[in-house]
Amino acid sequence: MPSYKAPVDDTLFLLKDVFDFDRYGNLPRFAEAPIDVVEAVLSEAGKFAEKVLQPLNRSGDEEGCTRDSSGNVATPEGFKEAYKAYVEGGWVGLAGDPAYGGQGLPHFLAVALSEYVIAANLSFAMYPGLTNGAAAALWVHGDDALKRTYLPKMTTGEWTGTMNLTEPHCGTDLGLIKTKAVRQGDGSFAITGQKIFISAGEHDMAENIIHLVIARIEGAPAGTKGISLFLAPKFLVNADGSLGARNAVVCGSIEHKMGIHGNSTAVLNYDGAKAWLIGEENRGLNAMFVMMNAARLGVAVQGLGLSEVAYQNAAAYAKDRLQGRSLTGAKEPGKPADPIIVHPDVRRMLLEIRAFNEAARALMVWVALSADEALESPDPAAKRAADDRIGLLTPIIKGVFTDVGFANAVKAQQVLGGHGYIAQSGMEQFVRDARITMIYEGANGVQALDLVGRKLPKDGGRAVTAFFGEVSAFLAENKGDAALAPYLAPVKAALGKLQQATMWLMQNGMRNPDNAGAASHDYMHLFGLTALAFMWARIAKAVLARQAKGKSNEALDSKLALAKFFNARMLPEASAHLARLSSGAETLMALPAAAF
Amino acid sequence: MPSYKAPVDDTLFLLKDVFDFDRYGNLPRFAEAPIDVVEAVLSEAGKFAEKVLQPLNRSGDEEGCTRDSSGNVATPEGFKEAYKAYVEGGWVGLAGDPAYGGQGLPHFLAVALSEYVIAANLSFAMYPGLTNGAAAALWVHGDDALKRTYLPKMTTGEWTGTMNLTEPHCGTDLGLIKTKAVRQGDGSFAITGQKIFISAGEHDMAENIIHLVIARIEGAPAGTKGISLFLAPKFLVNADGSLGARNAVVCGSIEHKMGIHGNSTAVLNYDGAKAWLIGEENRGLNAMFVMMNAARLGVAVQGLGLSEVAYQNAAAYAKDRLQGRSLTGAKEPGKPADPIIVHPDVRRMLLEIRAFNEAARALMVWVALSADEALESPDPAAKRAADDRIGLLTPIIKGVFTDVGFANAVKAQQVLGGHGYIAQSGMEQFVRDARITMIYEGANGVQALDLVGRKLPKDGGRAVTAFFGEVSAFLAENKGDAALAPYLAPVKAALGKLQQATMWLMQNGMRNPDNAGAASHDYMHLFGLTALAFMWARIAKAVLARQAKGKSNEALDSKLALAKFFNARMLPEASAHLARLSSGAETLMALPAAAF
């Protein structure tokens, strides 16, 4: 059976040593969260993940969700109780607005601890994750009456939220949606249509479920400019806040799918369901993007979380399993065989995972701290820069963390050989669960296109120019540091390739948009590699600083070895990305569609 | 629901145009198999795969195998009947020895059609696949009495075979096995021990199951030099060939695993089971290697077969699914959206799969024809060269075809977006089924080590030198061909990198074996890429020859576009492999085991 230990120490190292936690002291929410509070919160969250959520992961996968003939869905045994404890622990509302019952702690804290919750039990984590996303969209775009009615219980997690976009004939291309909203006399709307793939769409863990639904108001323009966002609760809410009648939205079926069995993926049938407009008419996608961007960051963390738990279990197996001998002579001559960790290729798989995880965690923490800056910084320039950084990095970390997270789950499974293929080991569940992260909240191809098509050219390339500037400034600032030099050179080389690729895109993507599309996947991954290399240089700097003060330890020292591994063994892929993308769209577009 | 069309035309093109089928006319078995017979056999096999086996693939996955309390295992509905038809069709014994009831057709034919059977239904294909492997080991190493008793019904497939190596504490390191064989007075042995992960280990499709089991005879030397191979039937066979008493080998459980649910993966408990020695005492691994090498080639074909069926279904979806518009303007303005095949990144995924599949099929056909040459060539030099080629390429195609085959199944699934994650689409089954191919018959890390540790240095590097010679000779022969030149240059460049990597291994692997281990994965994939590029050049030559004669067609013309895509978009990975492997073992071995 798999196990999990939340990497609290690593998160704290990143906050304190790499990202200089104190410099965020000017943000209001940080007043409530000095580092010892942060430490206590992360540590408690880690324990909850390890002791309450992780033990339900395998059983949740095996049991799955079940729907009865009236459309009620039961979550796996133990989920309901665990969710109740999660709500009571205040975890859902950690970063929620205090005006609606939230704890008002910084957002980075919610992100950091979500890694632990996800790693312990992705299916479970999705319920509060979607609730937070729905609450955020309502908080930004809802009117006061709606917020007063729904936000308090969504903030605490007593009611959960969902995101209803996809229909049978459309997912990515939301301009095609058919679900209709008909204006009622009382200011509400009646929604009719079918939504599919609704995560956490129906379940027994909360007394109400608040669906955020996109639909087309009668007479609205065609395409994406005629889409509005609505709130449709499972149970209508009376004026006194008590629950009223069941709304006309029913779970028609739940999907039989590859993984995340503990999360119900519902088909929701709306038959004149009562709903209220969120934000402006026909501006629904705009409002939904608040939720989608939050969700994309959340999915990126899913890639990391699964990669981490998969690593931990593979490493434990590799240190324990006796099989064969080291190529350089027995390392444990007293035992019948050496542990398989002696084999270079087993180490390769483990190190590829670990060297990703630690740098990805750094990138996640940086983006999460940026989210707080973007919301609260008193300095308009810093606020804007943080917002730009998040916009630019969101598709990159969604695409890269989940592509790599899945590949890492596969590698970790490989370390166990045949045992990894057996359900009991838990490794194959990590693979099946990780697979969805590459698909939902915008398939990774859509992320790559969002990056090259929108995020790069936005505001004249301001965000990407700023990113290059930050990396270059770091390189310049540390130029004289001989100990750090070996960690800087690879970043410089990678940045050069990324800039070359960016130039290629500017020159060729405008001329022929298919060149941009053809380059998008490799560009996204080249960007990701460069950002991860930058993180390794920052981590190395922090470790060297600790060593200089005589305050390092074995765990920190090992990061220097990981940084070297990353640069020698993972960064070479940057050249391949550049070569591929520079080859242009021609070989991709040559075949007529019928020849496929 | 997924579908499948056997690529019979492509196989025939490879045989006739690329590999000059007529030049094998000097091999005795080919007298029975002129090209029109080959065509008829492949075409019939394709139909059987498409119409009988493919429809059982999804249902077999959903139902799985079930074991009752006495240890009997039922295969999914329809498997039994399909297997009966398969045996009656003579498919199992197609290349079997006519002395034992086989049809004596060339081995390449059995390999070529196995691709179709595998693509249609991997779980099913494993039953006859293992039977053929067991029969081959018995044919090579068994004594006449054993062969007379067991081979006829194994050749026809009326009895199936298995391969019993793994025990709970050892898989790769067979020197650790504990299963014991005790000599009986009558020349037989009594086997006691537990074997796990036995594919097709117990089922209801054949009246007898012939287990090939490795065990240690009392008093045998420790390690791999004390292992002998035995034949233990499920039912003992009377002198008249009828079935006698049930032998003392029982299925203790079947595994709950990620995929291949239609194949029973059994724990077999031997409790003094009656068994007979195959080959010499303590030389069991030697005898088992006949079966393992056949099985490794078979697993390579599994990687290709699943990649092909996944491609076909993804391509069909991409041509059908309307979503979004082409970046260069609507391609189907009359429809609500364009089919997603207009998007460069969707094409990228499909082309990466297809450009692998067609070259991999060429490599498979080449190796399969070599198998016939190695067995039957009247020319000792050709025979030896063919044997060398198979030995060298076996770990490469096992490792590369299955690593890439799995990655391709994942890419194909990605093309379907959320629909690919739902069981009904069948795409996620391809991923789950393909995953085992990277693990069984020697995990791919073991293949890579076999390549660099055994196959490369064997006979002073004779096989690899010959391979380089064959590629170089092809380049030299076609040097003046201007039309072919663009397809030759990339092969030359890749060969240069492979030779550089080989030199690096010779210089550094001897000095420090960890360097060889650390390079093995990248070396195997660099070799695979080079071999595939060589295949594309040979295919391009054949297509150009057809075009010159005015005898090409659209399907053949498209191969030139695929070759260009391969060279521009897939071959750049060769440089990354070379860079990684040349970085040596240092960064892999730096961390102490405890730091993982």
Side-chain angles (χ1 to χ4, degrees):
Chain A
M1 290 293 279
S3 65
Y4 176 64
K5 175 91 178 62
V8 176
D9 287 348
D10 199 42
T11 311
L12 288 169
F13 163 75
L14 291 167
L15 288 169
K16 289 192 283 191
D17 289 73
V18 178
F19 294 107
D20 186 14
F21 187 69
D22 292 342
R23 68 175 277 266
Y24 296 89
N26 62 333
L27 306 184
R29 284 186 175 224
F30 283 64
E32 307 287 320
I35 196 69
D36 56 329
V37 168
V38 168
E39 185 162 353
V41 169
L42 290 177
S43 167
E44 278 308 304
K47 275 184 215 151
F48 193 92
E50 293 161 8
K51 291 180 185 162
V52 180
L53 301 179
Q54 196 276 333
L56 297 173
N57 194 44
R58 282 289 310 120
S59 56
D61 179 68
E62 300 220 325
E63 186 186 341
C65 295
T66 43
R67 175 184 169 278
D68 71 17
S69 54
S70 347
N72 300 308
V73 173
T75 51
E77 199 180 327
F79 269 48
K80 204 171 162 172
E81 294 72 22
Y83 187 71
K84 190 161 180 280
Y86 194 76
V87 169
E88 285 169 0
W91 298 111
V92 181
L94 196 80
D97 185 347
Y100 298 100
Q103 296 190 50
L105 287 166
H107 291 84
F108 84 84
L109 203 50
V111 174
L113 73 83
S114 77
E115 185 203 328
Y116 313 156
V117 175
I118 284 162
N121 195 324
L122 174 58
S123 290
F124 179 92
M126 292 169 67
Y127 294 97
L130 285 156
T131 304
N132 283 330
L138 184 58
W139 188 76
V140 175
H141 290 281
D143 65 29
D144 277 349
L146 273 185
K147 283 157 92 163
R148 264 197 316 274
T149 308
Y150 296 97
L151 259 187
K153 296 220 165 184
M154 290 175 78
T155 300
T156 58
E158 286 162 278
W159 297 350
T160 64
T162 73
M163 185 171 172
N164 290 228
L165 284 75
T166 306
E167 300 183 5
H169 62 290
C170 70
T172 302
D173 187 358
L174 296 172
L176 301 176
I177 65 160
K178 293 176 180 165
T179 297
K180 278 180 195 156
V182 177
R183 208 179 301 270
Q184 307 296 294
D186 61 356
S188 74
F189 289 79
I191 305 266
T192 301
Q194 188 178 61
K195 295 290 180 178
I196 65 167
F197 299 164
I198 309 308
S199 297
E202 176 57 35
H203 60 83
D204 57 0
M205 303 197 320
E207 56 178 5
N208 205 1
I209 302 175
I210 312 305
H211 304 296
L212 265 57
V213 194
I214 58 168
R216 198 177 287 290
I217 299 176
E218 296 170 290
T224 52
K225 288 175 181 161
I227 294 175
S228 303
L229 178 63
F230 298 90
L231 181 154
K234 176 177 171 185
F235 286 99
L236 300 176
V237 179
N238 298 321
D240 64 357
S242 64
L243 295 187
R246 182 74 166 77
N247 203 354
V249 46
V250 175
C251 169
S253 62
I254 55 174
E255 304 289 356
H256 175 33
K257 59 198 190 295
M258 188 181 194
I260 49 166
H261 293 163
N263 200 282
S264 62
T265 304
V267 171
L268 291 183
N269 296 318
Y270 289 83
D271 186 15
K274 211 170 174 64
W276 290 268
L277 186 69
I278 297 180
E280 293 173 48
E281 278 184 32
N282 300 333
R283 299 271 296 156
L285 278 193
N286 191 41
M288 200 51 139
F289 263 116
V290 172
M291 182 161 185
M292 280 165 69
N293 281 328
R296 284 172 180 185
L297 288 174
V299 175
V301 179
Q302 294 176 7
L304 168 59
L306 289 172
S307 183
E308 173 66 33
V309 68
Y311 170 81
Q312 291 186 13
N313 286 282
Y317 184 89
K319 289 188 276 189
D320 183 60
R321 174 77 170 177
L322 303 179
Q323 201 80 177
R325 288 293 183 190
S326 163
L327 298 170
T328 54
K331 294 292 171 285
E332 303 264 10
K335 292 185 178 167
D338 288 337
I340 61 171
I341 191 93
V342 302
H343 298 298
D345 197 60
V346 169
R347 287 174 162 253
R348 174 187 65 80
M349 295 188 278
L350 291 172
L351 288 168
E352 283 175 5
I353 309 174
R354 174 106 168 255
F356 165 79
N357 290 353
E358 297 199 5
R361 185 172 296 116
L363 202 49
M364 172 194 80
V365 167
W366 190 33
V367 170
L369 288 167
S370 303
D372 282 305
E373 268 189 301
L375 280 165
E376 291 205 303
S377 179
D379 170 2
K383 195 177 164 89
R384 195 183 76 173
D387 197 53
D388 281 354
R389 188 184 303 127
I390 297 168
L392 176 70
L393 293 179
T394 294
I396 296 168
I397 67 174
K398 197 285 184 182
V400 175
F401 283 21
T402 61
D403 274 0
V404 179
F406 171 76
N408 285 351
V410 172
K411 276 175 206 161
Q413 181 188 22
Q414 189 74 12
V415 171
L416 276 77
H419 297 275
Y421 200 66
I422 307 301
Q424 204 187 354
S425 73
M427 303 304 285
E428 60 92 40
Q429 183 190 347
F430 298 142
V431 173
R432 289 185 289 102
D433 284 359
R435 185 66 187 86
I436 190 60
T437 65
M438 297 161 69
I439 298 172
Y440 62 16
E441 303 309 338
N444 286 354
V446 174
Q447 304 299 327
L449 216 52
D450 177 50
L451 174 63
V452 301
R454 289 198 203 100
K455 300 301 169 62
L456 272 195
K458 203 178 166 219
D459 304 314
R462 194 175 70 205
V464 70
T465 307
F467 179 85
F468 293 164
E470 280 184 283
V471 180
S472 301
F474 179 84
L475 294 173
E477 276 161 32
N478 295 286
K479 208 175 175 182
D481 187 337
L484 194 58
Y487 305 94
L488 298 180
V491 179
K492 194 176 174 192
L495 180 65
K497 292 188 184 93
L498 179 60
Q499 287 172 324
Q500 207 179 322
T502 309
M503 194 69 80
W504 187 92
L505 268 178
M506 285 168 60
Q507 287 166 348
N508 299 281
M510 301 279 233
R511 189 172 53 79
N512 174 5
D514 277 341
N515 276 327
S520 59
H521 171 83
D522 283 295
Y523 184 79
M524 177 175 80
H525 278 278
L526 174 56
F527 211 128
L529 272 174
T530 307
L532 293 172
F534 179 38
M535 292 300 109
W536 270 122
R538 294 181 69 161
I539 292 168
K541 184 184 158 99
V543 174
L544 291 169
R546 285 272 284 253
Q547 287 180 342
K549 286 186 215 153
K551 285 189 170 178
S552 190
N553 57 41
E554 235 178 80
L556 291 182
D557 293 346
S558 71
K559 289 177 188 294
L560 296 181
L562 290 170
K564 285 178 191 155
F565 173 85
F566 181 88
N567 292 330
R569 291 250 164 200
M570 295 169 75
L571 210 43
E573 195 63 26
S575 303
H577 287 306
L578 181 59
R580 282 192 287 265
L581 74 87
S582 314
S583 75
E586 199 187 324
T587 60
L588 285 165
M589 308 311 288
L591 276 191
F596 278 83
Chain B
M1 291 291 281
S3 65
Y4 175 63
K5 174 91 178 62
V8 176
D9 288 348
D10 199 43
T11 310
L12 288 169
F13 163 75
L14 291 167
L15 287 168
K16 290 191 282 191
D17 289 73
V18 178
F19 295 108
D20 186 14
F21 186 69
D22 293 343
R23 68 174 278 265
Y24 296 89
N26 62 334
L27 307 183
R29 283 185 176 225
F30 284 63
E32 307 288 320
I35 196 70
D36 56 329
V37 168
V38 168
E39 185 162 352
V41 169
L42 290 178
S43 166
E44 277 308 303
K47 276 183 213 152
F48 193 92
E50 294 162 7
K51 290 178 185 163
V52 179
L53 301 179
Q54 197 277 334
L56 297 173
N57 194 44
R58 282 289 310 122
S59 56
D61 179 68
E62 299 221 324
E63 185 185 340
C65 295
T66 43
R67 175 185 169 278
D68 71 17
S69 55
S70 346
N72 302 308
V73 173
T75 50
E77 200 180 326
F79 269 48
K80 204 170 161 173
E81 294 71 23
Y83 187 71
K84 191 161 179 280
Y86 195 76
V87 168
E88 285 170 0
W91 298 111
V92 181
L94 197 80
D97 185 346
Y100 298 100
Q103 297 189 50
L105 287 166
H107 290 84
F108 85 84
L109 204 50
V111 174
L113 73 84
S114 77
E115 185 203 327
Y116 313 156
V117 176
I118 285 162
N121 195 325
L122 174 59
S123 290
F124 178 92
M126 292 169 67
Y127 295 97
L130 285 156
T131 304
N132 282 330
L138 183 58
W139 188 77
V140 174
H141 290 282
D143 64 30
D144 277 350
L146 273 185
K147 283 157 89 163
R148 265 197 315 273
T149 308
Y150 296 96
L151 260 187
K153 297 220 165 184
M154 291 175 77
T155 301
T156 58
E158 287 162 278
W159 297 350
T160 64
T162 73
M163 186 171 171
N164 290 227
L165 285 75
T166 307
E167 300 182 4
H169 63 290
C170 70
T172 303
D173 187 357
L174 295 173
L176 301 176
I177 65 160
K178 292 176 182 166
T179 297
K180 276 180 196 156
V182 177
R183 208 179 301 271
Q184 307 296 295
D186 61 356
S188 74
F189 289 78
I191 305 266
T192 301
Q194 187 178 62
K195 295 289 180 178
I196 65 167
F197 298 164
I198 309 308
S199 297
E202 175 58 35
H203 60 83
D204 56 359
M205 303 198 320
E207 56 178 4
N208 205 1
I209 302 175
I210 313 305
H211 303 296
L212 265 56
V213 195
I214 58 168
R216 199 177 286 289
I217 300 175
E218 295 170 290
T224 52
K225 288 176 181 161
I227 293 174
S228 303
L229 178 63
F230 298 90
L231 181 154
K234 176 178 170 185
F235 287 99
L236 300 176
V237 179
N238 298 321
D240 65 357
S242 64
L243 295 186
R246 182 75 166 78
N247 204 355
V249 45
V250 176
C251 169
S253 61
I254 56 174
E255 303 290 356
H256 175 34
K257 58 197 191 295
M258 187 180 194
I260 49 167
H261 294 162
N263 199 282
S264 63
T265 304
V267 171
L268 291 183
N269 296 319
Y270 289 83
D271 186 15
K274 211 170 174 64
W276 290 269
L277 187 67
I278 296 181
E280 292 174 50
E281 277 184 31
N282 299 333
R283 300 270 294 155
L285 278 193
N286 190 40
M288 199 50 138
F289 263 116
V290 172
M291 182 162 185
M292 279 165 68
N293 280 328
R296 284 172 180 186
L297 288 174
V299 175
V301 179
Q302 293 176 9
L304 168 60
L306 289 171
S307 183
E308 173 66 32
V309 68
Y311 170 81
Q312 290 186 13
N313 286 282
Y317 184 90
K319 288 188 277 189
D320 183 60
R321 174 77 170 176
L322 303 178
Q323 200 79 178
R325 288 294 183 189
S326 162
L327 297 169
T328 55
K331 294 291 170 287
E332 304 263 9
K335 292 184 177 168
D338 288 337
I340 61 170
I341 191 93
V342 302
H343 298 297
D345 197 60
V346 170
R347 287 174 163 252
R348 175 188 64 79
M349 295 188 278
L350 291 172
L351 288 168
E352 283 175 4
I353 309 175
R354 175 106 168 256
F356 166 78
N357 290 354
E358 297 200 4
R361 185 172 298 117
L363 201 50
M364 173 194 80
V365 167
W366 190 33
V367 171
L369 287 167
S370 302
D372 282 305
E373 268 188 301
L375 280 165
E376 291 205 304
S377 179
D379 170 3
K383 195 178 165 91
R384 196 182 76 173
D387 196 55
D388 281 356
R389 188 183 303 126
I390 297 168
L392 176 69
L393 293 180
T394 294
I396 296 167
I397 67 174
K398 196 285 183 181
V400 174
F401 283 21
T402 61
D403 274 0
V404 179
F406 171 76
N408 285 351
V410 172
K411 276 175 206 163
Q413 181 189 21
Q414 189 74 12
V415 171
L416 276 78
H419 297 275
Y421 199 67
I422 306 301
Q424 205 187 353
S425 73
M427 302 304 286
E428 60 93 39
Q429 183 190 348
F430 298 142
V431 173
R432 289 186 288 101
D433 284 359
R435 185 65 186 88
I436 189 60
T437 65
M438 296 161 70
I439 298 172
Y440 63 15
E441 304 308 340
N444 286 354
V446 174
Q447 304 298 329
L449 216 51
D450 177 49
L451 173 63
V452 301
R454 290 197 203 100
K455 299 301 169 62
L456 271 196
K458 203 177 166 221
D459 305 313
R462 194 175 70 205
V464 70
T465 306
F467 180 85
F468 292 164
E470 280 184 282
V471 181
S472 301
F474 179 84
L475 294 173
E477 277 160 32
N478 295 286
K479 208 174 175 182
D481 187 338
L484 194 59
Y487 305 94
L488 298 180
V491 179
K492 193 176 173 191
L495 180 66
K497 292 188 184 93
L498 179 60
Q499 287 172 323
Q500 207 179 322
T502 309
M503 194 68 80
W504 188 93
L505 268 177
M506 285 167 61
Q507 286 166 348
N508 298 280
M510 301 280 233
R511 190 171 53 77
N512 175 4
D514 277 341
N515 276 328
S520 60
H521 172 83
D522 283 295
Y523 185 78
M524 177 175 81
H525 279 278
L526 174 56
F527 211 128
L529 272 175
T530 307
L532 293 171
F534 179 39
M535 292 300 109
W536 270 123
R538 293 182 68 161
I539 293 168
K541 183 183 157 100
V543 174
L544 291 169
R546 287 272 284 254
Q547 287 180 341
K549 286 184 216 153
K551 286 189 171 177
S552 190
N553 58 40
E554 233 179 82
L556 291 182
D557 293 346
S558 70
K559 289 177 189 293
L560 297 181
L562 290 170
K564 285 179 191 154
F565 174 85
F566 181 89
N567 292 328
R569 290 249 163 201
M570 295 170 76
L571 210 43
E573 195 63 27
S575 303
H577 286 306
L578 181 60
R580 281 193 287 266
L581 74 87
S582 314
S583 75
E586 199 187 325
T587 60
L588 284 166
M589 307 312 288
L591 276 192
F596 279 83

